[in-house]
């Protein structure tokens, strides 16, 4: 037994050495052969060549911010005063303490809202798409609401979703202002120009707004609701508020109302601000996102008098490893379908659908709750998965439900039918 110990120690020693060598080669492969996504983006970053040339510029008003010492001092004094207030402690213990949310909202708008709005706008890529390398701190808070149907209002926050049907009418814009101040309000879509990709679509332009009353301003371009085409996804609708140094002549940008020609609504925020940067300063921002809905068919055909554009994304073909004759640890049914030609799968699903059709009768509607029907527990697990996919219409079974409507039906009718046809011997349970 004593002679075996050195051998065991030697084996353990060699295993440690091999493990160290293996880790070294893995790290070498990771670093030299497979760079990370962060390293690839850093290599393509052109701003590192000349950082001063690509430094963002603040084109807005400067904020009067308190120092960190002043903020901490005020906070500590507030905490001490709250601790000395015995009535406040009693209300807190009895859960009768109430907070004025309007006061909280007002305090947020005047303290941290500009910096947070700027961070959100940078996250959505608004500054880079509209102003290039410039940004501003929106110190004027905008309250924007759409009147949907008289009883419901859609509020514009920071990137929330509003459907085109909810934004058909001109919105109500409110903000605090002095009586003698003049403002300019613009609603632009950096993603919605159908003719020039590098330009924007102007949806609304009101200039020389006195004292924050938008209804008294000069309408340079009348309001047009969002119209994101089908298949393009979400589009950003950005409200920009500029503070003017004085009255401005916007006759160059005047559009005759109603402006329904989309080419005339081509706009560039960067060019617009570059021409008038000495006469106005950006002060407020708000935005929402909108995507296609069924109401836009009438907007394109009847209002804009054009054919409705429809887009489809051409997905690249998925990469498949070479097929193996004996795949190990692969489900045979999914593995075989993965390497079949799409025409073969379509033919298989078509025959499966035609086998259930009667040329003299209407096609029966699909199950409203297909996942709620029980499955026999005695069949194989892979067969259960196939039954679930067929009922839900996922994977290769998508073509079984193409062009079919699923009206809401009573679930008990399908359950009883399933129990009578497929499980006649199963005990029935009465529902209460």
């Amino acid at each position: 037994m004593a002679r075996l110990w050195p051998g065991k120690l030697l084996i353990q020693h060699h295993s440690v050495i091999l493990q160290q060598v293996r880790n070294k080669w893995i790290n070498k492969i990771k670093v030299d052969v497979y760079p990370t996504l962060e390293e690839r983006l850093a290599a393509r970053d052109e701003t590192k060549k000349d950082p001063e040339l690509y430094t963002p510029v603040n084109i807005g008003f400067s904020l009067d911010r308190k120092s960190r010492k002043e903020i901490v001092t005020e906070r500590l004094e507030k905490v001490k005063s709250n601790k000395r207030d015995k009535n406040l402690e009693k209300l807190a213990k009895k859960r009768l303490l109430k907070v004025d949310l309007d006061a909280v909202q007002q305090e947020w708008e005047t303290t941290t809202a500009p910096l947070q709005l700027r961070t959100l706008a940078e996250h959505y890529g608004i500054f880079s798409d509209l102003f290039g390398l410039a940004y501003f701190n929106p110190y004027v808070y905008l309250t924007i609401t759409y009147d949907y149907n008289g009883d419901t209002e859609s509020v514009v926050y920071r990137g929330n979703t509003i459907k085109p049907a909810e934004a058909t009418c001109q919105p109500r814009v409110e903000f605090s202002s002095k009586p003698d101040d003049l403002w300019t309000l613009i609603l632009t879509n950096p993603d919605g120009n159908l003719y020039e990709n590098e330009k924007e679509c102007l949806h609304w332009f009101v200039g020389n707004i006195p004292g924050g009353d938008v209804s008294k301003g000069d309408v340079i371009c009348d309001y047009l609701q969002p119209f994101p085409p089908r298949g393009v996804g979400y589009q950003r609708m950005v409200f920009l508020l500029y503070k003017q140094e004085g009255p401005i002549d916007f006759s160059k940008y005047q559009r005759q109302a109603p402006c329904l020609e989309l080419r005339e609504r081509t706009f560039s925020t960067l060019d617009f601000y570059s021409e008038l940067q000495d006469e106005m300063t950006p002060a407020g921002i708000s935005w929402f996102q909108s995507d296609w809905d069924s109401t836009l068919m009438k907007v394109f055909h009847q209002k804009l008098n054009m054919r409705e554009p429809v887009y489809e994304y051409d997905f690249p073909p998925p990469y498949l490893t070479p097929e193996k004759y004996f795949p190990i640890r692969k489900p045979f049914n999914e593995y075989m379908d993965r390497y079949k030609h799409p025409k073969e799968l379509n033919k298989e699903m078509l025959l499966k659908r035609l086998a259930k059709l009667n040329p003299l009768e209407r096609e029966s509607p699909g199950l409203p709750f297909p996942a709620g029907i029980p499955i026999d527990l005695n069949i194989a697990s892979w067969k259960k998965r196939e039954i679930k996919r067929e009922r839900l219409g996922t994977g290769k079974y998508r073509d079984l439900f193409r062009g079919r409507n699923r009206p809401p039906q009573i679930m008990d009718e399908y359950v009883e039918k399933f129990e009578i046809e497929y499980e006649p011997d199963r005990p029935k349970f009465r529902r209460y």
Side-chain angles (χ1 to χ4, degrees), residues 244-406:
Q244 303 176 192
E245 299 295 336
I248 300 177
D249 183 14
F250 293 108
S251 58
K252 177 181 178 180
Y253 306 95
Q254 185 72 43
R255 269 80 166 177
Q256 185 177 3
C259 182
L260 300 178
E261 179 61 36
L262 296 183
R263 292 184 183 274
E264 297 180 3
R265 289 183 175 267
T266 300
F267 188 74
S268 175
T269 300
L270 183 60
D271 297 341
F272 170 76
Y273 178 72
S274 298
E275 294 180 3
L276 301 175
Q277 60 181 335
D278 295 334
E279 303 180 38
M280 60 171 53
T281 305
I285 189 172
S286 186
W287 66 95
F288 68 93
Q289 299 183 92
S290 184
D291 62 338
W292 182 88
D293 64 4
S294 58
T295 61
L296 290 181
M297 299 177 65
K298 293 183 179 180
V299 173
F300 280 107
H301 294 165
Q302 300 178 7
K303 190 173 184 179
L304 298 178
N305 194 19
M306 59 180 295
R307 295 180 61 183
E308 181 185 9
V310 179
Y311 297 88
E312 293 183 359
Y313 183 75
D314 188 11
F315 289 92
Y319 172 76
L320 294 177
T321 58
E323 187 176 2
K324 297 181 181 180
Y325 193 76
F326 289 105
I328 301 176
R329 296 181 180 178
K330 300 289 183 181
F332 70 94
N333 53 339
E334 297 180 6
Y335 191 82
M336 295 174 64
D337 293 338
R338 190 182 305 166
Y339 290 92
K340 281 184 179 179
H341 196 276
K343 291 185 177 180
E344 296 183 16
L345 289 176
N346 295 338
K347 181 180 179 181
E348 181 182 349
M349 294 299 106
L350 180 61
L351 295 176
K352 195 176 187 66
R353 182 178 180 184
L354 292 176
K356 300 180 180 180
L357 294 179
N358 188 346
L360 303 179
E361 297 180 0
R362 180 175 296 179
E363 185 177 3
S364 59
L367 303 178
F369 306 103
I373 301 178
I375 301 176
D376 188 6
L377 302 178
N378 297 324
I379 61 178
S381 59
W382 68 269
K383 187 64 176 177
K384 292 180 183 178
R385 289 194 295 270
E386 287 296 319
I387 294 175
K388 291 180 181 179
R389 289 172 182 154
E390 183 176 354
R391 291 177 181 174
L392 296 174
T394 59
K396 67 176 183 180
Y397 297 103
R398 286 193 299 268
D399 294 340
L400 288 178
F401 303 98
R402 181 172 296 178
R404 297 181 55 185
N405 296 324
R406 297 185 178 183

